[in-house]
Amino acid sequence: MKPPVFDYRRCESADEALALLAEYGEDARVLAGGQSLMAVLNMRLAQPRVLVDISRVAGLAYVRAESGALAIGASATQAAVEWRATLADEVPLLALAFPNISHFQIRNRGTVCGSVAHADPSAELPLALAALGGKVRLRSRKGRREMAADEFFQGMLTTARRHDELVEEVRYPLHRAGNRYAFAEVSRRHGDFAIVACAAVAGEREVRLAVGGVADRPRVLSLPRLPARELESAINDFAWELDAQDDPHATAVYRRHLVRRLGQRVIEEAAR
Amino acid sequence: MSTGQQRAGGHVGDARQRIEDDTLLIGKGRYADDLGAKPGTLHAAVLRSPHAHARLLAVDGSEALALPGVHAILTGEDVRRWTRPFVVGVKQPMEHWCLAVDTVRYVGEPVAVVVAQSRALAEDAVERVRVDYDLLEPVVEMEDAAAEDAPALHPKVGSNIASDRRFRYGDPETAFARAPHCVELTVRYPRNSCTPIECYVVTAEHVSADDGYEVLSNFQGPFSLHAVMALALQVPAARLRLKTPPDSGGSYGVKQAVFPYIVLMCLAARKAGAPVKWVEDRLEHLVAATSATGRLSTLRAAVEADGRITALDFDQFDDVGAYLRAPEPATFYRMHGCLTGAYDIPNLSVRNRVVLTNKTPAGLVRGFGGPQVYFALERMIQRIAVELGLDPLDVYRRNFVQPGAFPYRAAAGALLDSGDYPQALALAAERGGLDELFARREAARREGRLYGIGYSAIVEPSISNMGYISTVLTPEQRAKAGPKNGALATATVSIDLLGGVTALIDSTPQGQGHRTVAAQIVADVLGLDPREITVNTEMDTQKDAWSVAAGNYSSRFAGAVAGALHLAAVQVRDKLARIAAPQLDCEPREVRFAGGKLHAEGRPEAALPFGRLSSGPHWAPALLPKGEDPGLRATVFWTPEQLAAPTEDDRVNTSAAYGFVFDICAVEVDRDTGKVRIDRYVTCHDAGRILNPALADGQIRGAFAQGLGAALMEEFVYGPDGSFQSGTLADYTVPTTCEVPEPVIIHMETPSPFTPLGAKGLGEGNNMSTPVCIANAVADALGTADVRLPLTSPRVMALIGMADPEPTAGRPRQPPGPPAGAPGKARGLTARGEVELRAPPQAVYDVLLDPQALARVIPGCHALQPAGPNRYRADVTVGVGLVKARYAAEIELSELEPPHRLRLSGSGISSLGSARGSGSVELEPHGDGTRLRYDYRAEVSGKVAAVGGRMLEGAARIVLAQLFEQLGRQAGGEPASVPAWRRLLRWLGISK
Amino acid sequence: MRTLDGGDREYIVIHLNGKARTGACDSRTLLVDFLRHELGATGTHVGCEHGVCGACTVLVEGVAVRSCLMLAAQAEDLRVDTVEGLARAEGLEAVMNDLQAAFKRHHALQCGFCTPGILMTCSDFLARVPDPTEQQVRETLSGHLCRCTGYTNIVRAVLETARARLARHSRGDTGNA
């Protein structure tokens, strides 16, 4: 399984990357961590003309808390966030999610922005971004634009990113006092794709339940604090809305079932 | 000293650290792809069928050959010219070649080989080979393949049942008639494999007509297949020189099935006029290397009131895949003699049907027949206990072959050499803490938790009788063909000119530590330290001593190979004793070997150093005692006497030695998720004499992990069109550190009277015992009778039962969906939906009939050329997310009823595989516009199906959504304020 | 900007186990193939080429990554550590490090094909987490597939090594011998 032929460009700056994207558009692919793209290339499921390697663009490797969010640059690895000493205080939901994300070796090189840009419906980083109401900043040679997660994720592996754009930064809102979080996932083995993943963010008056692995992208349900029976009914309605499908790993019925059980569990845990 | 049951002290039985480890740990292992290739060696890539069943019309490699760096392409035409079909154990007019010659019969079947300067270039070229297929109806499920009217995979064979044999021992009919109870169950065993981390490697060269072919490959045997390869290549065995590398990255039976690729690469090398190296990649391996047979068994037991079984009736179907590939149907017959397992059951009837399906051909996978047989038999024991209200342990005890009965001749011919089954059960219960597990189960159940305990008792055969495969023939056919039997093992011990000792064995290990054990054995006999023994396990069929039975399979090492080695060492020792006796002034039988020296019994102070004495014959052969020849090299061929050919009444002792395993498993099942947690796993082994306890435990742990995988998460999944859907290690899931707990391992030893060291094989036991033991535990936890492997959490949850309450407002307005598939089972892609378009039906219809407009409707269409009335050829790039492929497509419009309806069909082929779809499109006026209803069915095969199963459905919908969005645009619809794509997706029931 | 066009073959330098090494590669050459076939460091193995089995794991700039998911060109001028760099040279002998020796003592390898990748992950992991729990070790090693051993002995060897290192460290010893 060797990749097809392509031209390789290792960028030293974001500008270089953007110029290449402007020139080649959909014939180019951004290579950040490569943990998804390289597997796709090795299997020859895509044949891009140009690989734009941004993994060594120092200016994009930042992870910093600023303006109420944890801002993560395009070439920052997942490990850089995971091993951040202050993460549990800054974005507790991410600290809860990381142990479920693939494996140590993948997180060491895979990027946060890369996972968000790839938009796998089962992925935990997009899920957490949606759950927290985070933001994605896109940049092209023409300029920058920013949007909320639920506008960015448009479908299975499909986002608002245009061919000449880079996901330059994602921002996970920092913890606000009074919020509580919970995360639960069922996967076949430790580290596998989530069959269903649920994240809950509970504020004083409302609870957000975010579900991944069922619909074609993470979906969020906002609820006021409800008594048990109404909560169960709301979660059930949500489970149906997600339009679960059968696939070789799980049935639709099972997925709905897990949404009910895990959804209940994370809300109870967060709203306690 | 006498040879035979040698109870040497010292190194054998020691948990000695391995001599293999240092080299492997520092990264100096020499696996097949690590060894330098001759300059000029080229690299091969295989073009494989994306279809499960199709006629192969033409293979055009001209564009591929034009690429720089590409040297040759090998096709079915060459194969037909240069080889003969592979021979197989059952005489059938079925032709199996190393490349498809006129028909492809499984996804992944090799169709052509491209040879180029590098693997990457070869893969580039493979994408440019044009192949014409004419699709045939695939037969995927065993029941469908076995049906009367099923399309025959091999027209010359006529039926998909390649063999149908019945056997009868004792008087089963009377036993069933008399029995107070008859318990019946039907079980399935899934297709799976032990997937070594290193895949197949073949380096082949056609040296010359005189010197024939030379091959290096990580082939594991059995070397009876060498004959199959040589016959296919039409060369004498001596002109197919097959060598194995020093190290192999695991096999567990799987590297038996590299043999067709050895033949294939020999031909590729011949065509290219250069040596060729092929390193199989993981996708190829999962799709097309091999598989354990899938099995469907109906087992009936005649049972007394106290649980004693008086008769068994097995009705078995084995799914061997698209070709009966040697040594199949060995999966059936390896176990044949001991089908009654650990039980004293004199009456037995068996029907074995070998079924061909459009799936990967089956072969050796660790356990080989045992997992399939014991899944039925041990589920039966639990069912008997449940249905008769008995304690399962009592059912075991009442049925076990009793300790005094050994050697015990089982109904179908196995001669169980030794054992104490009740003792093993007792040990497992006691040392495994069964009482504590009972208490936990009780406590858990009081709390409403799902906790269960299961057992399995298996007889583990080792050292296969090479004649067992002939059991598939009738006695008349066997008489004509001549008897086959035995299990030759070969070993050589030699002394070199500096007095160093070398041992050669015919076992081709892949990690079992044979070199270490071999060193222990020889060191014990010759009174040396194991570190002084050099052991070489590399095979060279031209230079080494070997037989049809050589190789590493059926756990033959401990019993047969180690035994033969011991005998060879004894021969060398006896000769040295004869040489030393005059110098020590004693009789040869009084010479003792210890501490690197030889001395006369009772006179250790007057000792001769081993090295000096043993090198003597090299330097001064004239000084040898009279009559003694100068060679210090002993080669022993040993075969156990007990392995005779099958008898006139089909009784056969299928193995020389039989170990025993009794397992206890306690599980808790999570009510919410269906996940199975193993609370404790106890495994008690009796493998006769243990040669190295650390290595023995290592084998048990590894087999346990594989058995656990088979029980909970491993299966090769096929679509209804025969498409393969387990093409990555993220889809074919094997256990990791987080899924494999530490088992409690207990040993006991009842030595075998039939092997030189009293040892029996123990490598396969837990592959046979663990899957059914876990299944029994889950069945106990859930109180169900019907458990089907693998017990993934969706499957278990379905067994527990899930309420699926309707939503408050009724189900969202969704197009009627296709029927729900079985948990985890794939089905064809279907899509039904409705779309509202802002153009009247006639305008929409006109677009569909206008090629220029249609070209803009079809997503990613570069070019659309008419190919007949309402038929087009198109060049289409389809992609979702990172994945993108360019398809050569054919599109057809049919069943035209303007402006109301038509049928839109398409098929396309790309390097990613093929796709076919057909759907009806109905147009209905709706206000100013049109309501378009579609009902579409698609099949996607090949690579993208193999690796993308998780997302295929979603991708298909996205592509269809793109198509209808474009249709709306082309027909003159104005985009609404909500983007059209979003509106369409909403109507397709995808988004909120 | 570093440019390597498809069809070009160029020389790159990587710092392999502390030594500057030069080899030729294409734009699409995978790091694992470059290490094995161009630099002769065959101790790193190929098991799946899609990042799941872990057999190809090496350290790049001290961090454990899949070398099948990296291009050789991406490692240009970087520090790469493989299994061959773990043992220490003492005269003509290679002396295994403490982790390797623990693997041998605990029978933590059988065919040895997955082993180098595991050793490299442990190199990184134990440096970051010197006192791991068994669960942490299992979770970190879940990215390595082994079909031979059933993992128990591997986990034991790693835990024993971690504890021994801590003990040495608290005694004031340095080095990982």
Side-chain angles (χ1 to χ4, degrees), chain B residues 491-559:
Chain B
T492 300
V493 174
S494 62
I495 315 263
D496 63 34
L497 74 177
L498 288 179
V501 180
T502 300
L504 306 177
I505 51 179
D506 70 348
S507 78
T508 62
Q510 322 94 20
Q512 296 89 336
H514 291 177
R515 289 173 61 218
T516 301
V517 179
Q520 290 171 257
I521 290 168
V522 175
D524 266 357
V525 173
L526 297 177
L528 299 170
D529 187 285
R531 272 174 301 205
E532 298 171 88
I533 315 294
T534 301
V535 184
N536 185 308
T537 57
E538 298 161 51
M539 175 71 74
D540 179 337
T541 57
Q542 222 173 60
K543 298 196 66 192
D544 289 325
W546 60 283
S547 73
V548 303
N552 189 22
Y553 60 96
S554 83
S555 310
R556 63 191 287 270
F557 173 78

Side-chain angles (χ1 to χ4, degrees), chain A residues 181-238:
Chain A
Y181 312 87
F183 188 91
E185 175 178 311
V186 169
S187 59
R188 217 180 218 192
R189 299 169 302 178
H190 180 81
D192 278 344
F193 293 109
I195 295 174
V196 173
C198 290
V201 182
E204 260 197 56
R205 275 186 230 103
E206 72 150 23
V207 178
R208 286 164 69 85
L209 171 66
V211 177
V214 187
D216 60 350
R217 67 202 117 125
R219 298 284 309 285
V220 181
L221 175 70
S222 269
L223 295 170
R225 299 243 176 176
L226 290 173
R229 185 111 57 88
E230 285 178 51
L231 179 63
E232 201 179 308
S233 177
I235 294 175
N236 185 42
D237 285 350
F238 188 49

Side-chain angles (χ1 to χ4, degrees), chain B residues 18 22 25 31 33-34 124 193-195 252 282 510-511 695 698-699 702 706 714 729 735 737 740 742, chain C residues 28 36-37 43 45 47 50 83 100 104-105 107 110-113 138 141-142 147-149 151-153 156:
Chain B
R18 301 191 334 161
D22 287 14
L25 284 164
Y31 303 88
D33 189 32
D34 298 339
D124 294 343
S193 168
C194 290
T195 61
Y252 335 104
R282 182 55 61 181
Q510 322 94 20
L695 302 194
Q699 288 298 301
Q706 290 178 340
E714 293 181 40
L729 291 177
T737 43
V740 185
E742 187 176 345
Chain C
R28 59 174 165 171
R36 288 175 50 76
H37 297 291
H45 300 137
H50 50 276
V83 62
Q100 290 167 309
K104 183 174 177 180
R105 269 199 308 282
H107 186 40
Q110 292 183 25
C111 82
F113 201 75
R138 284 184 179 269
L141 293 185
S142 67
R147 287 298 242 168
C148 289
T149 67
Y151 304 110
T152 297
N153 292 350
R156 279 191 191 149

